[in-house]
Amino acid sequence: MTTTIPSPDLALGTFTESGPWVVDLDHLPWRADVPAERARIKRRLPDLVHPRRMPPLGRLVRVIARLGPPLAVWALGARREGGTRSREDLARRLREAAEALGPTYIKLGQIIASGEGLFPAELVAEMRRCRDQVPPEPFASVRAAVEADLGRPLDEVFARFDRRPLAAASIAQVHSAALHPTEPGGEPVPVVVKVQRPRIATLVEADLRVMAWIAPHLVGRIPVAALANPPALVELFGETITEELDFRLEADNMLDLAAVFARLGASPYVVPRPHPTLVTRRVLVMERLSGFRFEDVTGMRAADIDTTELVRSGMIGFLEGAMLHGIFHGDLHAGNLFVLPDGRTALLDFGITGRMGEERRLAFLRLLVSASMNDVRGQMAAIRDLGALPPDIDLDAVISDLGLDRPVIDPTSLTPEQLTAEIQATMKGLLGYGAKLPKELMLFIKNMVFLDGAIATLAPDLDLFGEITHIATYFATRHGERIASEVGVDERHWNLDMGGVRALYGVEEGTEAMTHRELQERREVIVSRFAQRERTSLPARLATAARRRVRRARGR
């Protein structure tokens, strides 16, 4: 029986037990330039998303030519019908325009596709079609990019390099390959090679300037998202995509997240090792991992993997990284992770990573602690400190105007008109106070929405109230002293307010349990209320229009 000797770099990160190479932080030549590159990107971003001059004329004309006619057809047609029909038609036309305009716009569509709850449901559903419909680059272009960046012929570095990619996305594509054996007579070393599309960096910068120039003209004209209107969405998009254009930053993200998980102890996550030397701006060679697709519930259960524990530990690991270290994977979705045979989750694609400085991390920590205690003012103060509200805002006025100091209303008890009015009033109030959605908060919410969906797939009968209690107890027991000290509360008085949790879900006091399946049923009731309102309101609008036409005819 062969005994596997644990790799010495496990003290540095949550890697596989025995990898194809050992990570040595003192021998990663590509990492030296990462801090300077992050600073350069941050300095240049305002010029890209708030342009002071006309964007490249050729690209601007092409974008307007592709985007203008579809929007005009929608405005003259489906928009007048309103409701679901209008949003579906607009979403389809925007998706088709994005695919025609190429990688930058497809990437924006993919970010929207994983933003369920942040963007209109029809737009999310339509943009999901962008995820796997990006044609790959010709292999000659891939070979040229790899050889140029690594400075050697492809065959000199790799014993095998598959011409057909494993996946092709908007920014890059991924190929299976194998490095030459490290020892004479040894086996080739299986790896994955991520290769950036040619000229994508230049194209993205030009497209960001065009987006930023067009976005203000779309405010109030197309329904995108309440707290991410077109200019704000461009700014959010610019913050995420610019860091994806340098794979040295992605490899650095991999090591930083792996280190955080290692410091937290028994992590549920595994990170592939980036290669010590084969990492450049456009090429990233990493360890190859394999396992179950995240949605393969049948396969995992056949392998005796506890899918409920998988969700529970994954949620805790994600929250620990964000709350205690200010860093988290920023783009969780089924295509970016899979499950190893030992039940741990392998994370992939670290191009989008949430990073919070100490000030914002503490604000984020206060937000979650205040939410657990049902402290409304504490939550609003934390949201302000995260940058979602102006720094000089009157919190008490916001709380009063938005009705946050009143008992929470069960949305399933409202009529369609009342439900719509409540949401519209809240959104109007937030926008009136200058609310916006910071990148870190957007990524966190997006990930929480994904994890919510993961519960529906992997553990639909999980008791949500019991799970919230379990997670709160875990943090209080394991990290309570540190959290209380950083937030400034007495550890003895930090208690989970289940009344607030029930209010959050809109259920009656005394409800002891609620499964995710039951929660989904409540959501379906709410969705049906919106659909009912749209079915009844359309005839009313048509009748009103008919009456106006009659009055105009009589006036003549």
Side-chain angles (χ1 to χ4, degrees):
M1 181 176 179
T2 304
T3 302
T4 301
I5 300 175
S7 178
D9 59 7
L10 292 180
L12 302 177
T14 50
F15 306 121
T16 54
E17 287 296 312
S18 180
W21 52 79
V22 175
V23 172
D24 182 346
L25 299 183
D26 294 326
H27 294 86
L28 300 172
W30 52 264
R31 208 179 191 197
D33 296 329
V34 167
E37 182 62 15
R38 289 193 190 278
R40 186 191 71 83
I41 290 172
K42 188 174 182 179
R43 285 195 305 271
R44 291 204 63 221
L45 184 61
D47 185 52
L48 294 176
V49 299
H50 302 293
R52 292 181 291 273
R53 61 182 185 275
M54 179 76 73
L57 185 59
R59 189 58 177 166
L60 177 62
V61 170
R62 175 172 165 76
V63 171
I64 292 176
R66 285 288 186 180
L67 193 59
L71 288 180
V73 172
W74 165 74
L76 296 173
R79 184 184 187 184
R80 297 185 175 186
E81 298 181 29
T84 301
R85 168 82 177 99
S86 171
R87 293 192 297 272
E88 287 177 344
D89 185 79
L90 174 62
R92 177 179 60 80
R93 296 181 188 280
L94 290 176
R95 191 260 305 166
E96 290 173 348
E99 291 177 342
L101 288 168
T104 312
Y105 291 84
I106 291 173
K107 181 65 180 181
L108 177 59
Q110 290 171 343
I111 289 177
I112 292 172
S114 57
E116 187 176 356
L118 296 174
F119 303 99
E122 296 83 0
L123 189 60
V124 170
E126 190 68 37
M127 289 301 176
R128 280 177 178 158
R129 300 178 62 184
C130 288
R131 189 177 296 282
D132 298 315
Q133 293 187 359
V134 186
E137 292 289 331
F139 184 69
S141 298
V142 173
R143 175 189 285 271
V146 174
E147 292 182 342
D149 272 38
L150 298 185
R152 287 178 281 170
L154 197 72
D155 296 341
E156 187 177 309
V157 181
F158 299 97
R160 172 182 58 80
F161 196 107
D162 290 0
R163 300 174 69 90
R164 184 185 297 274
L166 293 169
S170 53
I171 300 296
Q173 56 194 54
V174 176
H175 291 258
S176 174
L179 299 173
H180 288 294
T182 55
E183 299 177 357
E187 294 292 323
V189 180
V191 294
V192 168
V193 185
K194 186 172 182 177
V195 185
Q196 192 173 117
R197 290 179 179 270
R199 300 174 298 280
I200 187 66
T202 302
L203 180 62
V204 165
E205 289 198 0
D207 280 336
L208 281 175
R209 294 182 192 278
V210 171
M211 288 179 181
W213 190 84
I214 292 176
H217 302 286
L218 300 178
V219 174
R221 291 181 169 87
I222 62 172
V224 178
L227 298 184
N229 56 53
L233 181 57
V234 171
E235 187 169 348
L236 278 171
F237 180 54
E239 288 184 44
T240 59
I241 196 171
T242 47
E243 289 205 348
E244 288 192 80
L245 298 175
D246 191 327
F247 291 166
R248 295 172 299 178
L249 274 59
E250 178 170 352
D252 186 60
N253 291 337
M254 295 166 71
L255 293 178
D256 283 350
L257 271 166
V260 163
F261 292 142
R263 288 199 293 272
L264 290 171
S267 171
Y269 293 118
V270 174
V271 176
R273 294 172 175 86
H275 194 275
T277 59
L278 302 179
V279 178
T280 70
R281 186 182 297 275
R282 298 187 300 164
V283 177
L284 170 56
V285 177
M286 69 191 91
E287 176 183 12
R288 179 159 191 180
L289 306 179
S290 59
F292 298 96
R293 290 183 300 104
F294 199 72
E295 296 159 331
D296 183 10
V297 180
T298 302
M300 284 188 278
R301 288 178 178 165
D304 292 328
I305 293 174
D306 186 341
T307 54
T308 298
E309 180 58 30
L310 183 72
V311 171
R312 175 182 295 126
S313 59
M315 179 75 78
I316 289 175
F318 166 62
L319 289 173
E320 280 184 312
M323 293 169 63
L324 304 178
H325 296 279
I327 185 170
F328 57 93
H329 192 295
D331 193 21
L332 295 181
H333 61 75
N336 277 352
L337 39 80
F338 54 83
V339 180
L340 301 178
D342 64 6
R344 292 186 296 169
T345 300
L347 295 174
L348 306 174
D349 194 353
F350 295 77
I352 301 177
T353 298
R355 286 178 175 269
M356 294 180 281
E358 187 65 2
E359 184 176 337
R360 285 210 169 183
R361 181 190 71 81
L362 291 175
F364 179 76
L365 185 59
R366 290 196 300 273
L367 174 63
L368 296 188
V369 171
S370 298
S372 73
M373 300 172 68
N374 198 25
D375 175 3
V376 174
R377 198 179 194 286
Q379 292 176 68
M380 295 305 295
I383 289 173
R384 174 201 61 200
D385 295 342
L386 279 168
L389 292 169
D392 58 350
I393 197 167
D394 184 340
L395 294 178
D396 293 323
V398 176
I399 292 170
S400 177
D401 289 351
L402 298 183
L404 301 179
D405 52 352
R406 299 195 297 268
V408 176
I409 303 171
D410 181 353
T412 62
S413 68
L414 299 176
T415 66
E417 292 75 15
Q418 289 172 330
L419 184 59
T420 302
E422 284 285 333
I423 294 173
Q424 289 176 341
T426 300
M427 290 298 103
K428 184 177 180 180
L430 285 171
L431 291 172
Y433 279 109
K436 62 179 182 178
L437 194 60
K439 172 190 170 184
E440 299 87 358
L441 195 55
M442 183 271 286
L443 295 178
F444 179 80
I445 294 172
K446 188 166 69 68
N447 280 355
M448 290 300 290
V449 171
F450 167 74
L451 291 169
D452 175 83
I455 296 174
T457 302
L458 302 177
D461 295 313
L462 184 70
D463 174 15
L464 295 178
F465 291 173
E467 200 56 34
I468 290 170
T469 302
H470 170 82
I471 292 174
T473 301
Y474 172 88
F475 276 94
T477 303
R478 187 177 177 110
H479 306 294
E481 184 176 348
R482 173 183 171 178
I483 292 174
S485 173
E486 291 187 338
V487 172
V489 300
D490 188 331
E491 186 180 359
R492 296 168 299 177
H493 298 154
W494 176 29
N495 296 308
L496 176 66
D497 183 344
M498 285 305 298
V501 173
R502 294 187 187 94
L504 178 66
Y505 286 105
V507 298
E508 297 177 356
E509 187 67 32
T511 303
E512 296 297 328
M514 183 171 68
T515 67
H516 193 280
R517 197 186 304 275
E518 292 169 337
L519 174 62
Q520 193 59 36
E521 291 171 357
R522 291 176 59 79
R523 289 172 175 166
E524 289 171 1
V525 170
I526 296 170
V527 170
S528 69
R529 295 283 168 87
F530 279 113
Q532 178 186 346
R533 179 182 183 276
E534 290 178 354
R535 285 195 300 270
T536 57
S537 61
L538 178 57
R541 288 197 300 271
L542 293 175
T544 300
R547 287 194 295 271
R548 286 174 180 167
R549 287 196 295 271
V550 169
R551 284 197 296 269
R552 284 198 297 269
R554 288 175 177 172
R556 290 196 295 267

